[in-house]
Amino acid sequence: MTIPVITIDGPGGAGKGTISQAVATRLGWHYLDSGALYRIAGLAAARAPDIAPGELVSSLDLDIVIDDEGQVRYRLGGEDVSEQIRTEEAGEAASRLAALPEVRMALTGLQHRFRRAPGLVADGRDMGTVIFPDAGLKIYLTASAAERARRRYKQLKDKGMGGSLAALFADISRRDQRDAQRKVSPLRPADDAVCIDTTGVAIDTVIGQVLSLAAQTFASLKE
Ligand code: C5P
């Protein structure tokens, strides 16, 4: 039996992280935050500018562990970088590195290894188009750029990080453009994705929609 996968793709701030984690928790499935891997790659590349990015990323000394509170922690070369990768700078570095085919290739096997029983919820930009093209359920989440900037602003503020709303809006728009226009694995909905616009919609409503689509899609959830 193939292990079921739900892919949740879309631009930054569309609610992918919150929604994917909630869906994974409710189903008792694994969760892949592929953006975190690109952020870690960005950090590693900034620390070792002399090493070719593809080479560097294929030999990352990365440990992914779940802490006592059930939170995923990322350790790079033994150092916990879970908070450091969440800054806007790390997002920007990730987006620049993510345009390189050799980096995307180097991260492919690692992403596939997250597909473990009883199932996987995979969050990113190319989960449904490139990494898990055979996923049973593909979701593409969007929201207006203004709303996504507001959400990012709140997220960063909740974590005690700074940044102005106007600067975030500019960052998000620039990153969207780069992600959508790159030659390899550009940000776009898979042909068979269900598109959900989350502008002005409560997160819980979207979680409910995804869970009900999952129940309709996967026989294992009906038993
Ligand atoms: O989702 P998050 O903001 O953490 O992703 C950071 C960056 O990593 C994105 O802007 C995008 O350029 C890149 N990324 C990607 N493919 C993915 C996930 C993230 O190119 N599957």
Side-chain angles (χ1 to χ4, degrees):
M1 197 196 74
T2 57
I3 297 168
V5 178
I6 300 174
T7 58
I8 304 193
D9 289 305
K16 285 176 298 165
T18 312
I19 291 162
S20 306
Q21 281 180 67
V23 169
T25 303
R26 285 283 291 275
L27 298 178
W29 287 12
H30 298 279
Y31 168 57
L32 163 61
D33 175 2
S34 61
L37 304 182
Y38 284 94
R39 286 168 180 264
I40 289 164
L43 192 66
R47 287 178 177 180
D50 297 336
I51 305 179
E55 211 176 293
L56 182 74
V57 174
S58 32
S59 58
L60 277 183
D61 175 13
L62 176 65
D63 261 336
I64 304 174
V65 291
I66 311 281
D67 71 11
D68 296 343
E69 282 153 28
Q71 296 296 314
V72 181
R73 310 295 307 182
Y74 301 93
R75 282 202 211 112
L76 180 62
E79 179 197 349
D80 190 326
V81 295
S82 316
E83 265 89 47
Q84 209 176 326
I85 58 168
R86 296 299 160 197
T87 62
E88 278 305 292
E89 294 74 43
E92 181 63 24
S95 160
R96 267 186 271 121
L97 212 69
L100 304 176
E102 62 273 28
V103 168
R104 305 202 71 86
M105 198 110 79
L107 287 176
T108 302
L110 177 57
Q111 296 176 84
H112 285 158
R113 287 205 289 282
F114 279 78
R115 187 173 193 166
R116 277 177 282 141
L120 173 69
V121 180
D123 153 357
R125 304 289 188 291
D126 61 342
M127 299 294 100
T129 50
V130 176
I131 303 294
F132 301 108
D134 66 331
L137 177 60
K138 300 180 185 179
I139 307 284
Y140 190 82
L141 290 182
T142 52
S144 71
E147 171 122 355
R148 292 188 288 113
R150 272 197 301 275
R151 287 183 190 161
R152 264 281 150 87
Y153 181 70
K154 187 170 177 304
Q155 251 174 20
L156 288 175
K157 228 171 107 186
D158 289 349
K159 287 186 181 146
M161 297 180 198
S164 83
L165 190 56
L168 273 178
F169 184 81
D171 277 358
I172 281 200
S173 307
R174 189 179 55 237
R175 212 158 3 125
D176 284 354
Q177 209 178 3
R178 187 188 294 133
D179 289 348
Q181 289 177 352
R182 69 182 174 220
K183 288 205 180 65
V184 277
S185 315
L187 169 66
R188 68 167 180 86
D191 293 337
D192 48 351
V194 179
C195 293
I196 304 177
D197 186 339
T198 69
T199 313
V201 184
I203 289 282
D204 284 344
T205 307
V206 185
I207 295 169
Q209 270 176 294
V210 177
L211 285 170
S212 94
L213 286 166
Q216 289 164 34
T217 309
F218 299 103
S220 58
L221 299 177
K222 295 185 186 120
E223 285 150 14

